[in-house]
Amino acid sequence: MRRTGLVYDEQYLGHRPGEWHPERPARLEAIIQRLQDTGLMEELTLIRPYQAPVSWVEKLHDPDYIKRFQTACQKGYTIFGVPDCGICPESFDIALLAVGGVFAAVDNIMSGTVDNAFCAVRPPGHHAEHNRALGFCFFNNIALGAVYILENYGLERVAIVDWDVHHGNGTQHFFESDPRVFYLSLHEDPDSCYPGTGRRQEEGSGRGKGFTLNIPLPGGSGDEDYLKALEQEGLPRLREFAPQFVLISAGFDAHEDDPLAHQNLTRQAYKKMGAMVLQLALDHAEGRLISVLEGGYSLTVLANCVEDHLRLLLGND
Ligand SMILES: [Zn+2]
């Protein structure tokens, strides 16, 4: 058995992007309900998040953008930047708490309190750019987590595996010229799916060339396609990189029942992808692994897949 942390706080339910919005508080409620119903919650170490200091958020996001987001919330605006980025007065503080949730997970792993962790946070982060909110995201939780690992703890190589069905444009852009972060994304083909980035030829630039690997998969792809892509192409490159810390942008929206995309993964595929990435962390990174929730809009799929993933992290699957 491993010690697995769960980052969660009821405050995350307070981000209300609009009644119509698929990225709704019920997503986390479904996850927490399942962990309680199965007794899994008692096996996990609850990690309380803190609000990330703005000085850390400024390491990737434009100070003026941060200010504009804060002001929009204070003024009671209901959207920020683009129509799909719905906000409420609490959204700014909660977005800082989502970033700080990843930081708290890093702290707990680096101090040895837990071996790995899952961050049940919202709003999600991987579409958030330097000075733009996009695709339900405001601050890039996982990218800031990587910077925190590198700069606060002095590690030199962090791998980010992004299996959300959408390409993590923000994460890629932050690190495309940075050889300290290897960004691997498996996502639905940009021609048929938001946000339209993540083509094969985007493979980093300057000193970061070769440290970005995009594997777009056509709509309708299933378990075998994803597992083959990860096992035969993604993992060999990650092993060559030899990360000291592994992060997963864990979206569960490539599932066949997800309402927002067109892929056909089953619960089994997520289980197997999780096992492969965990093995990478065990072999190269002393088991240091943090999964950060991104998308996933079917409540049943979320509960199923997160339950499986946590059992895997604990080693009791
Ligand atoms: Zn997504």
Side-chain angles (χ1 to χ4, degrees):
M1 283 283 285
R2 287 177 285 265
R3 293 161 305 163
T4 295
L6 172 72
V7 173
Y8 178 69
D9 192 300
E10 281 183 1
Q11 290 183 67
Y12 289 134
L13 305 178
H15 168 58
R16 289 165 285 115
E19 287 304 314
W20 56 275
H21 207 291
E23 200 292 284
R24 56 209 191 277
R27 298 175 65 234
L28 292 191
E29 290 174 320
I31 290 170
I32 298 304
Q33 188 66 51
R34 175 65 63 85
L35 299 180
Q36 284 167 349
D37 291 348
T38 54
L40 210 48
M41 192 64 99
E42 285 150 43
E43 298 179 44
L44 299 164
T45 304
L46 188 64
I47 297 174
R48 286 295 176 192
Y50 53 87
Q51 279 194 11
V54 170
S55 58
W56 273 98
V57 179
E58 285 178 349
K59 286 182 185 284
L60 293 182
H61 291 286
D62 176 21
D64 181 59
Y65 163 77
I66 298 171
K67 203 81 209 141
R68 279 189 285 120
F69 176 30
Q70 183 173 29
T71 305
C73 294
Q74 283 167 348
K75 288 190 170 172
Y77 294 172
T78 54
I79 56 167
F80 178 60
V82 288
D84 62 353
C85 286
I87 56 169
C88 67
E90 294 81 12
S91 295
F92 179 78
D93 286 342
I94 298 172
L96 289 178
L97 197 67
V99 176
V102 182
F103 287 11
V106 173
D107 294 334
N108 276 269
I109 288 177
M110 296 308 290
S111 69
T113 313
V114 298
D115 298 305
N116 51 43
F118 179 80
C119 301
V121 298
R122 54 187 294 279
H126 73 154
H127 295 305
E129 297 272 6
H130 174 64
N131 57 4
R132 251 182 338 150
L134 281 173
F136 319 162
C137 302
F138 303 90
F139 296 142
N140 198 313
N141 305 321
I142 202 158
L144 286 161
V147 169
Y148 187 62
I149 291 165
L150 295 166
E151 296 190 11
N152 200 53
Y153 288 102
L155 297 193
E156 292 168 350
R157 292 181 309 284
V158 177
I160 299 176
V161 178
D162 187 335
W163 69 44
D164 187 282
V165 75
H166 306 99
H167 179 244
N169 56 289
T171 312
Q172 172 176 309
H173 291 150
F174 283 124
F175 300 119
E176 56 194 350
S177 61
D178 189 340
R180 300 174 301 171
V181 178
F182 192 107
Y183 179 66
L184 166 67
S185 179
L186 292 100
H187 49 269
E188 185 173 328
D189 195 283
D191 287 328
S192 64
C193 197
Y194 187 87
T197 52
R199 293 171 198 281
R200 279 217 167 253
Q201 58 268 34
E202 297 165 29
E203 47 187 26
S205 58
R207 291 181 60 228
K209 194 164 174 66
F211 295 92
T212 295
L213 176 58
N214 283 305
I215 308 183
L217 294 149
S221 295
D223 290 7
E224 288 311 312
D225 305 303
Y226 268 72
L227 293 170
K228 197 172 141 208
L230 181 58
E231 188 164 27
Q232 296 183 7
E233 192 177 1
L235 279 172
R237 292 281 297 281
L238 289 167
R239 289 189 180 281
E240 197 182 328
F241 178 69
Q244 296 165 307
F245 209 119
V246 178
L247 303 174
I248 300 177
S249 258
F252 298 97
D253 42 8
H255 190 280
E256 58 188 350
D257 294 338
D258 191 275
L260 261 60
H262 320 96
Q263 302 299 47
N264 291 321
L265 296 196
T266 68
R267 186 173 172 173
Q268 283 304 318
Y270 286 108
K271 219 169 154 173
K272 288 180 182 162
M273 289 196 292
M276 288 185 210
V277 179
L278 175 63
Q279 195 57 52
L280 171 81
L282 290 168
D283 291 345
H284 292 279
E286 299 172 26
R288 293 188 282 243
L289 171 74
I290 295 174
S291 300
V292 183
L293 183 66
E294 300 282 1
Y297 304 97
S298 154
L299 300 184
T300 308
V301 168
L302 269 178
N304 287 343
C305 291
V306 173
E307 178 191 342
D308 289 348
H309 191 64
L310 282 166
R311 287 189 192 282
L312 177 80
L313 294 185
L314 280 162
N316 83 348
D317 53 320

